[in-house]
Amino acid sequence: MKIRNRALSALPLVLTLAAACGDGDGGDTTGAGGMGGGGAGGDAVTSFEITLENVTPARDYRVAGVFDTPVGESMPGPLFPEKSFEFRVGALPGDRLSFTTMFGQSNDLFYAPDGAGIALYDEKGAPVSGDVTDQVLLWDAGTEANEEPGAGPNQAPRQSGPNTGAPDPDNTVRLVDDDYTYPPVEEVIQVTVTPEPGNEFTIRITNMSKAGTLMPEGGEPAAVPLSPGLFVVHTMDNPLFTVGQAYPDNGLEAQAEDGNPTMLHEGAMPRAGLTSPVAPGVAVVHGSGAPLFMSGEADRGKGLEMLAEDGNPTALAASLEDEVGGESGISSVLVYNTPVGASMPGPLLPGAKLSFTVTARPGERLSFASMLGQSNDLFFAPSAQGIALFDASGEPVSGDVSDQVTIWDAGTEANQWPGVGPDQAPRQAGPQMGADDPTDQVRPVDDGYAYPASNQMLKVTITPAR
């Protein structure tokens, strides 16, 4: 949120999920600088159509991950008595938590919430805090016939290998209901939720069992180890299984029988992650040099901050227009702001695209920048030197250049969990609301949060005029 040009601070917040973005002229672009000036002498000018498409897929889960390493340990493994798994999630009101972990002394039993999951906010929108174990249940996956808990020869602690037990004659997922005796849930597992700043939560799963929690007739008194497991944050019902239906072929069997969440995790990851609009932006045709930023250097205070934090390209475009034809090598500048088929400027939502046209001479390059809307100060852009519009032989470049685009951190505002941070444009009360970034440098994003690859969010295509 560091503002180097105080004259810019009065400009309004541009990017929201509901409000339009841009200068309001209804056109696809606004430009300046005499397209084609400042290039390589008398070389022929070529027109290029640049298309940006938001290819972010719909997501079933906001977050998905595995918990597999007990607190205080360095290697993954099961959770024994008095030990805890701990993980962190980001969530908004309406989001719920679901997870799975195997009841280790069983054939195919696992702990999980019901199909609704555990609400992370109450009905008033306040974050939930405290013990939520009363929302955790013991389930039968319906994949393997049950034996006496703590004594069965085909249970994980005693079996010679996975999948050695007989099939369950009832292959539906259901609450455990057989002739054996099981300890109350709270004597084996405790789940607590702790709100953290930035709409984040710490989830802690603790093994409450002890020697003697199980007293099998055919075996020794035993505790109940808990396995590594999967967690997801979601709004849908029945995110991992449906009660009364056959067990899904999604890895639940390996989780419930062998305590292995790997297959569940592999299936969940493509369905999880950030979905975001892409804001209006600035495009620049230029020669050598880096007109927008330099990696590893501080923001120049010419408007990139407003673009990256608020989705407002106006100030940056104005600064760049002042440099057209000068020593910077910039030949043209334009603002792109209206998706194809839209009548008004606005953000580029998933599935939408926008196009604009630039002209260039051999040797010139294209730079552009657009905010990743669900962030504090991240933006899409090529490298600081831009994308070559001509190849080494002087022929115009054509095709998909998405692999040359990166998600950059402007270094002006501290990052929060993507898609949920309260100081991100869709949720903040106004511009420049977040704390300063302690690393005051433009750089590829590397903040410990998970982001899709740039080319899984934004497709960029260059088509020369024929």
Side-chain angles (χ1 to χ4, degrees):
M1 64 168 291
K2 190 176 295 178
I3 300 178
R4 295 180 173 79
N5 184 342
R6 294 188 179 274
L8 304 182
S9 63
L11 288 172
L13 173 68
V14 173
L15 177 65
T16 71
L17 296 180
C21 306
D23 62 1
D25 67 356
D28 284 344
T29 60
T30 61
M35 292 293 205
D43 293 324
V45 173
T46 301
S47 294
F48 296 86
E49 181 181 34
I50 314 299
T51 301
L52 307 184
E53 181 179 2
N54 188 333
V55 295
T56 310
R59 310 284 190 184
D60 291 325
Y61 313 132
R62 186 182 299 282
V63 185
V66 165
F67 50 89
D68 61 4
T69 303
V71 174
E73 299 185 14
S74 59
M75 297 291 291
L79 193 67
F80 293 111
E82 299 182 1
K83 292 287 188 177
S84 298
F85 289 126
E86 195 170 272
F87 56 91
R88 201 156 173 149
V89 300
L92 293 176
D95 286 345
R96 294 169 275 165
L97 170 74
S98 289
F99 65 88
T100 56
T101 180
M102 181 190 180
F103 181 102
Q105 294 278 9
S106 73
N107 295 80
D108 65 341
L109 307 186
F110 65 99
Y111 288 108
D114 65 15
I118 297 171
L120 293 171
Y121 291 82
D122 65 20
E123 294 179 353
K124 296 181 180 180
V128 167
S129 180
D131 192 326
V132 294
T133 310
D134 60 354
Q135 299 181 60
V136 179
L137 303 166
L138 182 60
W139 300 92
D140 189 326
T143 62
E144 186 171 302
N146 291 343
E147 300 167 328
E148 183 181 11
N154 295 302
Q155 295 168 354
R158 287 164 291 281
Q159 65 186 2
S160 59
N163 303 315
T164 60
D168 191 330
D170 179 355
N171 71 348
T172 63
V173 182
R174 58 200 188 274
L175 290 172
V176 64
D177 182 18
D178 54 32
D179 294 332
Y180 300 114
T181 300
Y182 297 91
V185 170
E186 64 273 13
E187 291 185 10
V188 178
I189 186 172
Q190 181 188 63
V191 181
T192 60
V193 175
T194 304
E196 306 287 356
N199 293 338
E200 298 185 24
F201 295 83
T202 296
I203 314 299
R204 191 175 184 94
I205 296 175
T206 302
N207 189 326
M208 305 296 289
S209 72
K210 56 187 177 181
T213 294
L214 287 181
M215 299 289 289
E217 293 183 7
E220 298 295 325
V224 181
L226 298 173
S227 75
L230 174 81
F231 66 88
V232 295
V233 174
H234 59 97
T235 57
M236 64 188 299
D237 288 336
N238 306 316
L240 301 175
F241 61 88
T242 301
V243 180
Q245 294 187 8
Y247 66 87
D249 185 22
N250 64 351
L252 184 65
E253 179 177 11
Q255 170 75 98
E257 289 188 18
D258 308 311
N260 184 352
T262 301
M263 185 175 171
L264 269 177
H265 186 234
E266 290 173 350
M269 288 309 293
R271 302 168 59 190
L274 179 65
T275 298
S276 178
V278 178
V282 172
V284 185
V285 175
H286 59 96
S288 60
L292 302 182
F293 62 90
M294 279 295 293
S295 182
E297 295 184 0
D299 170 44
R300 296 167 179 172
K302 295 184 176 182
L304 180 64
E305 177 181 6
M306 295 194 70
L307 180 146
E309 290 189 19
D310 307 314
N312 186 343
T314 307
L316 181 58
S319 295
L320 294 168
E321 286 166 5
D322 290 341
E323 300 179 16
V324 170
E327 295 181 358
S328 67
I330 295 174
S331 61
S332 62
V333 179
L334 62 82
V335 169
Y336 51 85
N337 59 18
T338 304
V340 173
S343 60
M344 295 289 291
L348 190 63
L349 301 176
K353 65 176 66 175
L354 61 78
S355 295
F356 56 88
T357 299
V358 299
T359 58
R361 292 185 170 89
E364 291 192 310
R365 307 174 72 85
L366 171 72
S367 289
F368 66 87
S370 280
M371 180 190 183
L372 193 164
Q374 292 278 12
S375 74
N376 294 80
D377 65 341
L378 305 187
F379 63 97
F380 295 98
S383 71
Q385 290 73 35
I387 297 171
L389 290 170
F390 298 85
D391 63 21
S393 63
E395 292 298 314
V397 167
S398 178
D400 189 337
V401 295
S402 306
D403 61 351
Q404 298 187 55
V405 179
T406 297
I407 299 174
W408 294 89
D409 189 328
T412 59
E413 185 171 301
N415 291 344
Q416 299 166 323
W417 194 292
V420 307
D423 298 314
Q424 295 167 355
R427 285 165 294 281
Q428 64 186 1
Q432 286 84 45
M433 297 294 292
D436 288 342
D437 189 333
T439 304
D440 187 16
Q441 296 177 350
V442 181
R443 60 202 186 272
V445 64
D446 183 18
D447 57 13
Y449 295 116
Y451 298 90
S454 174
N455 62 8
Q456 294 177 359
M457 301 188 76
L458 186 67
K459 181 179 180 179
V460 182
T461 307
I462 296 178
T463 306
R466 299 299 182 188

mmCIF file of all heavy atoms in Angstrom, residues 12-36:
data_model
loop_
_atom_site.group_PDB
_atom_site.id
_atom_site.type_symbol
_atom_site.label_atom_id
_atom_site.label_comp_id
_atom_site.label_asym_id
_atom_site.label_seq_id
_atom_site.Cartn_x
_atom_site.Cartn_y
_atom_site.Cartn_z
ATOM 1 N N PRO A 12 -10.338 6.439 -7.168
ATOM 2 C CA PRO A 12 -11.208 5.446 -6.530
ATOM 3 C C PRO A 12 -10.761 4.030 -6.779
ATOM 4 O O PRO A 12 -10.041 3.747 -7.734
ATOM 5 C CB PRO A 12 -12.564 5.721 -7.189
ATOM 6 C CG PRO A 12 -12.211 6.228 -8.554
ATOM 7 C CD PRO A 12 -10.956 7.048 -8.350
ATOM 8 N N LEU A 13 -11.220 3.136 -5.948
ATOM 9 C CA LEU A 13 -11.034 1.709 -6.167
ATOM 10 C C LEU A 13 -11.706 1.322 -7.470
ATOM 11 O O LEU A 13 -12.859 1.639 -7.698
ATOM 12 C CB LEU A 13 -11.668 0.919 -5.019
ATOM 13 C CG LEU A 13 -11.707 -0.604 -5.182
ATOM 14 C CD1 LEU A 13 -10.299 -1.155 -5.114
ATOM 15 C CD2 LEU A 13 -12.565 -1.220 -4.099
ATOM 16 N N VAL A 14 -10.986 0.642 -8.355
ATOM 17 C CA VAL A 14 -11.535 0.315 -9.658
ATOM 18 C C VAL A 14 -12.053 -1.105 -9.704
ATOM 19 O O VAL A 14 -13.172 -1.360 -10.130
ATOM 20 C CB VAL A 14 -10.472 0.532 -10.759
ATOM 21 C CG1 VAL A 14 -10.977 0.041 -12.086
ATOM 22 C CG2 VAL A 14 -10.155 2.018 -10.865
ATOM 23 N N LEU A 15 -11.241 -2.060 -9.255
ATOM 24 C CA LEU A 15 -11.622 -3.458 -9.441
ATOM 25 C C LEU A 15 -12.502 -3.960 -8.307
ATOM 26 O O LEU A 15 -12.102 -3.977 -7.168
ATOM 27 C CB LEU A 15 -10.372 -4.341 -9.530
ATOM 28 C CG LEU A 15 -10.686 -5.832 -9.650
ATOM 29 C CD1 LEU A 15 -11.387 -6.131 -10.949
ATOM 30 C CD2 LEU A 15 -9.424 -6.651 -9.526
ATOM 31 N N THR A 16 -13.716 -4.316 -8.609
ATOM 32 C CA THR A 16 -14.540 -5.128 -7.722
ATOM 33 C C THR A 16 -15.194 -6.168 -8.599
ATOM 34 O O THR A 16 -15.180 -6.073 -9.823
ATOM 35 C CB THR A 16 -15.627 -4.305 -6.996
ATOM 36 O OG1 THR A 16 -16.618 -3.920 -7.953
ATOM 37 C CG2 THR A 16 -15.055 -3.076 -6.309
ATOM 38 N N LEU A 17 -15.787 -7.162 -7.979
ATOM 39 C CA LEU A 17 -16.428 -8.200 -8.774
ATOM 40 C C LEU A 17 -17.742 -7.715 -9.355
ATOM 41 O O LEU A 17 -18.311 -8.355 -10.233
ATOM 42 C CB LEU A 17 -16.654 -9.451 -7.910
ATOM 43 C CG LEU A 17 -15.367 -10.101 -7.430
ATOM 44 C CD1 LEU A 17 -15.688 -11.328 -6.599
ATOM 45 C CD2 LEU A 17 -14.473 -10.478 -8.592
ATOM 46 N N ALA A 18 -18.278 -6.599 -8.854
ATOM 47 C CA ALA A 18 -19.570 -6.152 -9.324
ATOM 48 C C ALA A 18 -19.498 -4.870 -10.150
ATOM 49 O O ALA A 18 -20.410 -4.584 -10.908
ATOM 50 C CB ALA A 18 -20.503 -5.936 -8.133
ATOM 51 N N ALA A 19 -18.426 -4.082 -9.974
ATOM 52 C CA ALA A 19 -18.379 -2.766 -10.603
ATOM 53 C C ALA A 19 -17.510 -2.781 -11.837
ATOM 54 O O ALA A 19 -16.608 -3.589 -11.974
ATOM 55 C CB ALA A 19 -17.842 -1.729 -9.605
ATOM 56 N N ALA A 20 -17.769 -1.872 -12.743
ATOM 57 C CA ALA A 20 -16.997 -1.790 -13.972
ATOM 58 C C ALA A 20 -15.621 -1.219 -13.700
ATOM 59 O O ALA A 20 -15.386 -0.543 -12.719
ATOM 60 C CB ALA A 20 -17.724 -0.907 -14.981
ATOM 61 N N CYS A 21 -14.709 -1.520 -14.629
ATOM 62 C CA CYS A 21 -13.350 -1.003 -14.532
ATOM 63 C C CYS A 21 -13.045 -0.226 -15.802
ATOM 64 O O CYS A 21 -13.483 -0.583 -16.870
ATOM 65 C CB CYS A 21 -12.344 -2.139 -14.389
ATOM 66 S SG CYS A 21 -12.673 -3.266 -13.038
ATOM 67 N N GLY A 22 -12.248 0.805 -15.690
ATOM 68 C CA GLY A 22 -11.769 1.479 -16.885
ATOM 69 C C GLY A 22 -12.203 2.922 -16.926
ATOM 70 O O GLY A 22 -12.652 3.503 -15.949
ATOM 71 N N ASP A 23 -12.131 3.482 -18.149
ATOM 72 C CA ASP A 23 -12.373 4.912 -18.263
ATOM 73 C C ASP A 23 -13.800 5.231 -18.663
ATOM 74 O O ASP A 23 -14.149 6.399 -18.817
ATOM 75 C CB ASP A 23 -11.388 5.525 -19.272
ATOM 76 C CG ASP A 23 -11.562 4.935 -20.665
ATOM 77 O OD1 ASP A 23 -12.447 4.070 -20.864
ATOM 78 O OD2 ASP A 23 -10.816 5.348 -21.545
ATOM 79 N N GLY A 24 -14.627 4.211 -18.878
ATOM 80 C CA GLY A 24 -16.038 4.442 -19.100
ATOM 81 C C GLY A 24 -16.396 4.872 -20.495
ATOM 82 O O GLY A 24 -17.531 5.278 -20.740
ATOM 83 N N ASP A 25 -15.461 4.779 -21.471
ATOM 84 C CA ASP A 25 -15.819 5.217 -22.809
ATOM 85 C C ASP A 25 -16.499 4.125 -23.618
ATOM 86 O O ASP A 25 -16.948 4.365 -24.734
ATOM 87 C CB ASP A 25 -14.583 5.732 -23.553
ATOM 88 C CG ASP A 25 -13.578 4.625 -23.855
ATOM 89 O OD1 ASP A 25 -13.810 3.480 -23.425
ATOM 90 O OD2 ASP A 25 -12.582 4.929 -24.537
ATOM 91 N N GLY A 26 -16.590 2.901 -23.054
ATOM 92 C CA GLY A 26 -17.291 1.823 -23.739
ATOM 93 C C GLY A 26 -16.450 1.143 -24.790
ATOM 94 O O GLY A 26 -16.881 0.155 -25.375
ATOM 95 N N GLY A 27 -15.246 1.654 -25.100
ATOM 96 C CA GLY A 27 -14.413 1.039 -26.118
ATOM 97 C C GLY A 27 -13.542 -0.038 -25.545
ATOM 98 O O GLY A 27 -13.346 -0.132 -24.345
ATOM 99 N N ASP A 28 -12.927 -0.855 -26.433
ATOM 100 C CA ASP A 28 -12.042 -1.913 -25.972
ATOM 101 C C ASP A 28 -10.749 -1.339 -25.421
ATOM 102 O O ASP A 28 -10.137 -1.895 -24.525
ATOM 103 C CB ASP A 28 -11.711 -2.863 -27.111
ATOM 104 C CG ASP A 28 -12.866 -3.797 -27.434
ATOM 105 O OD1 ASP A 28 -13.782 -3.916 -26.602
ATOM 106 O OD2 ASP A 28 -12.832 -4.378 -28.504
ATOM 107 N N THR A 29 -10.264 -0.256 -26.005
ATOM 108 C CA THR A 29 -8.977 0.292 -25.585
ATOM 109 C C THR A 29 -9.030 1.807 -25.615
ATOM 110 O O THR A 29 -9.836 2.428 -26.299
ATOM 111 C CB THR A 29 -7.840 -0.154 -26.548
ATOM 112 O OG1 THR A 29 -8.148 0.328 -27.862
ATOM 113 C CG2 THR A 29 -7.725 -1.661 -26.572
ATOM 114 N N THR A 30 -8.132 2.394 -24.852
ATOM 115 C CA THR A 30 -7.841 3.812 -25.020
ATOM 116 C C THR A 30 -6.352 3.894 -25.227
ATOM 117 O O THR A 30 -5.586 3.165 -24.607
ATOM 118 C CB THR A 30 -8.246 4.630 -23.784
ATOM 119 O OG1 THR A 30 -7.517 4.167 -22.658
ATOM 120 C CG2 THR A 30 -9.729 4.502 -23.510
ATOM 121 N N GLY A 31 -5.902 4.759 -26.106
ATOM 122 C CA GLY A 31 -4.481 4.724 -26.419
ATOM 123 C C GLY A 31 -3.921 6.103 -26.633
ATOM 124 O O GLY A 31 -4.625 7.101 -26.737
ATOM 125 N N ALA A 32 -2.592 6.129 -26.738
ATOM 126 C CA ALA A 32 -1.902 7.371 -27.022
ATOM 127 C C ALA A 32 -0.548 7.019 -27.588
ATOM 128 O O ALA A 32 -0.114 5.888 -27.542
ATOM 129 C CB ALA A 32 -1.746 8.212 -25.759
ATOM 130 N N GLY A 33 0.103 7.984 -28.128
ATOM 131 C CA GLY A 33 1.488 7.789 -28.480
ATOM 132 C C GLY A 33 1.732 7.508 -29.936
ATOM 133 O O GLY A 33 2.846 7.144 -30.305
ATOM 134 N N GLY A 34 0.747 7.615 -30.834
ATOM 135 C CA GLY A 34 1.022 7.458 -32.251
ATOM 136 C C GLY A 34 1.570 6.105 -32.576
ATOM 137 O O GLY A 34 2.777 5.922 -32.721
ATOM 138 N N MET A 35 0.748 5.095 -32.715
ATOM 139 C CA MET A 35 1.177 3.721 -32.941
ATOM 140 C C MET A 35 2.220 3.658 -34.038
ATOM 141 O O MET A 35 2.003 4.101 -35.160
ATOM 142 C CB MET A 35 -0.015 2.858 -33.347
ATOM 143 C CG MET A 35 -1.024 2.661 -32.241
ATOM 144 S SD MET A 35 -0.359 1.709 -30.911
ATOM 145 C CE MET A 35 -1.841 1.035 -30.229
ATOM 146 N N GLY A 36 3.352 3.080 -33.719
ATOM 147 C CA GLY A 36 4.384 2.853 -34.723
ATOM 148 C C GLY A 36 5.542 3.812 -34.618
ATOM 149 O O GLY A 36 6.552 3.595 -35.275
#
